[in-house]
Amino acid sequence: MPVDLEKIKSLCKRRGFIFPSSEVYGGLESTWDYGPLGVELKNNVKRAWWQAVVYERDDMEGVDAAILMNRWVWKYSGHEDTFSDPLVDCKECKRRFRNDHIEGNKCPGCGGELTEPRMFNLMFRTFMGPVQDDSALVYLRPETAQGIFVNFLNVQTTMRRKLPFGVAQIGKAFRNEITPGNFTFRTREFEQMEIEYFVRPGTDEDWFERWVADRFNWYVNLGIKPENLRKREQGKEELAHYAKRTIDIEYLFSIGWSEIEGIANRTDFDLRSHSKSNPQNEHSVADLAYFDEQTKEHVIPYVIEPSAGVDRTALAFLVDAYHEEQVRGEKRVVLKLHKDLAPIKVAILPLLRNRPEIVEMARKIKKDLQPAMRAVYDDTGSIGRLYRRQDEIGTPFCVTVDVQSLDDQQVTVRDRDTMEQIRISVDQLKAYLVEQLGGECK
Ligand code: GAP
């Protein structure tokens, strides 16, 4: 059984991963702040993604586009007209639902009568400058993708790229969701990791399959159990307005199978829509086409888009890593996070905090290790309690300094998953940990 999201939420709050936002004012519905460990986890997820999709490939570049964009982007991308969900209200209890998320035509809360569905646009609106009229209207981007499309030529020409190639981006997106909830699974402000991969028309179906396989394997390589992941083909009626085909990667949460990433074949929809040669586009000043030097022809590339949510992905990693075990008659909670994702790689623990020589030695070890990996020092409890805390936040290694260490310059290294302990000389500690962690990880 997948662990209940409430359990993860409580661990996240207790251990400094994720807090309710604006808590001192009673919070803000479904809005969350990442704490000291949460920001590390999220950074590690983003780093692992960037490493896999940009650094370890030959055909990718990165960008970081603005959140605020010219309003015409959202007109011609189709979001102004179609980025909407059907909203219904209960006439009795006044609760609000997404019509496509409920079964039947009665209120799921009180059984009352519902209003007719009306379409509700999910884009957040704000104004640029001091005058708040229609000419100053701008949106908070609901996807990062458009920042890549409108920069297609900038990237292609400055980086002298030939098809196929892709552009990656990580950044915030905003959607005024009708029913946010399930902890960080559905929120109104979230982060996306998106790739727009530009290919020759006709090769798109092949590239689609390759990306689906690559992205599925990324999760498995980072420790997600394959039986908790599946690929699901979207039905024709579910497809976004731009998509010819979409496969979702879903994770088995306690709320059921739920999307953490979608891989879409967006065809040439976006580049074509944003081009001045599009007869419907009255505002664009450029044609977003690729010039083929060999054939001397302009081609509008097709686009394969793997689009993942940072928050949902981080949540899936947390849920999958969560284990409760019985150890010598006691419950042990341990996050078996992949070492690349663990917020802290090593904790240095003095066995006796009232022995200054031990404390000094432990602090020195931490200082020596910290340029190579995220290391912490902790002496705020008994050794058993300190181990339990590190297990619960997923720290792969604990290093204990004891009385004997002062004599023999050796320390104990404890492995989070096996709880096995080895003695190792301080001189060899760094090299050992770097090897176990698969390299330096800052
Ligand atoms: N550019 C394509 C696109 O945005 P999407 O399926 O709407 O596609 C991609 O979103 C990913 O963004 C989802 O798979 C999910 O991980 C994340 N996401 C979307 N809406 C979200 C929300 N309200 N809260 C958290 N994550 C969300």
Side-chain angles (χ1 to χ4, degrees):
M1 266 304 280
V3 56
D4 199 278
L5 283 182
E6 286 301 318
K7 225 173 211 180
I8 298 295
K9 188 160 131 189
S10 139
L11 183 147
C12 284
K13 171 95 201 288
R14 197 170 65 247
R15 292 299 189 196
F17 281 87
I18 303 174
F19 310 123
S21 173
S22 328
E23 205 181 5
V24 295
Y25 289 107
L28 177 67
E29 190 196 3
S30 296
T31 313
W32 303 96
D33 294 340
Y34 287 78
L37 299 185
V39 67
E40 299 293 344
L41 171 66
K42 216 153 73 128
N43 283 345
N44 291 344
V45 168
K46 292 188 273 187
R47 193 178 298 120
W49 183 84
W50 197 267
Q51 175 75 27
V53 307
V54 181
Y55 295 161
E56 290 179 11
R57 299 180 61 107
D58 303 318
D59 52 356
M60 292 288 299
E61 303 287 352
V63 294
D64 182 14
I67 288 174
L68 301 176
M69 303 179 77
N70 189 308
R71 182 184 165 181
W72 300 126
V73 168
W74 305 109
K75 174 176 169 58
Y76 294 109
S77 69
H79 285 78
E80 272 195 352
D81 291 336
T82 57
F83 196 61
S84 308
D85 280 337
L87 167 76
V88 288
D89 290 302
C90 173
K91 292 182 182 170
E92 308 298 323
C93 68
K94 311 293 177 210
R95 279 172 65 191
R96 215 152 245 179
F97 302 95
R98 248 176 82 168
N99 199 35
D100 56 338
H101 278 182
I102 58 177
E103 277 173 25
N105 53 5
K106 293 277 181 244
C107 169
C110 72
E113 198 187 335
L114 297 171
T115 58
E116 282 300 308
R118 58 186 194 282
M119 294 313 277
F120 171 74
N121 194 291
L122 300 184
M123 285 195 291
F124 273 98
R125 299 149 71 96
T126 187
F127 299 96
M128 194 102 153
V131 182
Q132 303 211 341
D133 67 12
D134 213 43
S135 66
L137 175 66
V138 286
Y139 298 106
L140 301 188
R141 66 182 178 197
E143 60 170 12
T144 63
Q146 297 301 325
I148 299 180
F149 292 128
V150 297
N151 277 301
F152 166 69
L153 278 184
N154 285 336
V155 177
Q156 189 257 317
T157 53
T158 55
M159 306 316 283
R160 303 172 307 283
R161 283 290 183 177
K162 292 195 169 22
L163 293 180
F165 75 96
V167 182
Q169 175 169 221
I170 300 176
K172 289 265 181 170
F174 302 82
R175 295 182 190 176
N176 202 358
E177 297 279 0
I178 295 168
T179 47
N182 292 318
F183 193 28
T184 53
F185 182 81
R186 191 181 306 283
T187 52
R188 294 186 169 117
E189 171 181 347
F190 54 95
E191 258 184 302
Q192 290 187 312
M193 307 184 283
E194 297 205 294
I195 297 164
E196 306 306 324
Y197 194 78
F198 303 98
V199 305
R200 282 178 193 280
T203 64
D204 51 307
E205 290 179 13
D206 183 40
W207 276 109
F208 180 85
E209 301 292 348
R210 288 207 223 176
W211 273 109
V212 171
D214 271 17
R215 293 301 307 142
F216 189 90
N217 291 338
W218 183 78
Y219 293 98
V220 176
N221 292 340
L222 282 171
I224 297 229
K225 296 173 209 70
E227 63 270 25
N228 291 339
L229 274 182
R230 73 173 187 191
K231 301 170 199 156
R232 189 186 68 85
E233 175 104 33
Q234 284 194 7
K236 287 269 172 287
E237 69 296 344
E238 289 174 83
L239 290 175
H241 61 277
Y242 47 72
K244 164 174 156 185
R245 190 178 174 201
T246 299
I247 287 184
D248 288 341
I249 298 179
E250 296 187 332
Y251 181 76
L252 184 57
F253 289 102
S254 56
I255 52 172
W257 287 102
S258 311
E259 174 195 343
I260 52 175
E261 171 160 356
I263 297 103
N265 184 340
R266 283 183 88 129
T267 70
D268 56 0
F269 177 87
D270 300 87
L271 293 180
R272 199 175 278 285
S273 306
H274 288 308
S275 288
K276 68 174 181 194
S277 54
N278 167 14
Q280 266 92 53
N281 193 322
E282 296 164 19
H283 299 91
S284 171
V285 293
D287 266 331
L288 297 180
Y290 170 83
F291 183 66
D292 188 323
E293 299 284 353
Q294 268 168 352
T295 61
K296 306 289 178 214
E297 276 175 342
H298 282 96
V299 183
I300 301 194
Y302 266 42
V303 176
I304 307 304
E305 177 194 66
S307 170
V310 179
D311 312 80
R312 279 191 195 177
T313 304
L315 187 61
F317 284 123
L318 281 172
V319 168
D320 215 70
Y322 185 93
H323 287 79
E324 288 179 7
E325 300 171 351
Q326 284 298 320
V327 178
R328 288 184 289 279
E330 274 193 36
K331 185 170 93 173
R332 173 172 101 116
V333 174
V334 52
L335 278 189
K336 296 189 176 175
L337 283 168
H338 189 282
K339 58 188 172 33
D340 291 355
L341 301 180
I344 291 164
K345 310 301 179 195
V346 59
I348 322 300
L349 315 172
L351 195 66
L352 301 170
R353 65 179 149 169
N354 52 6
R355 285 283 297 268
E357 320 90 277
I358 294 182
V359 168
E360 192 188 332
M361 185 172 176
R363 287 202 180 274
K364 180 167 184 317
I365 291 173
K366 190 234 173 197
K367 230 182 171 69
D368 290 345
L369 291 176
Q370 67 193 13
M373 67 198 67
R374 178 81 172 111
V376 294
Y377 167 88
D378 192 1
D379 66 4
T380 57
S382 67
I383 194 72
R385 188 182 278 257
L386 296 180
Y387 281 155
R388 272 203 298 285
R389 178 182 301 162
Q390 296 302 330
D391 285 346
E392 228 185 329
I393 64 173
T395 306
F397 296 103
C398 287
V399 170
T400 309
V401 182
D402 53 29
V403 179
Q404 204 186 326
S405 307
L406 299 172
D407 291 335
D408 64 8
Q409 293 296 304
Q410 291 195 347
V411 288
T412 302
V413 179
R414 172 185 180 270
D415 180 290
R416 173 195 70 197
D417 298 343
T418 62
M419 290 187 293
E420 271 172 22
Q421 305 193 357
I422 57 161
R423 265 324 253 185
I424 188 165
S425 123
V426 176
D427 287 351
Q428 290 163 8
L429 180 65
K430 187 166 168 185
Y432 172 78
L433 290 174
V434 167
E435 196 203 330
Q436 293 293 313
L437 293 167
E440 294 198 1
C441 28
K442 288 172 192 161

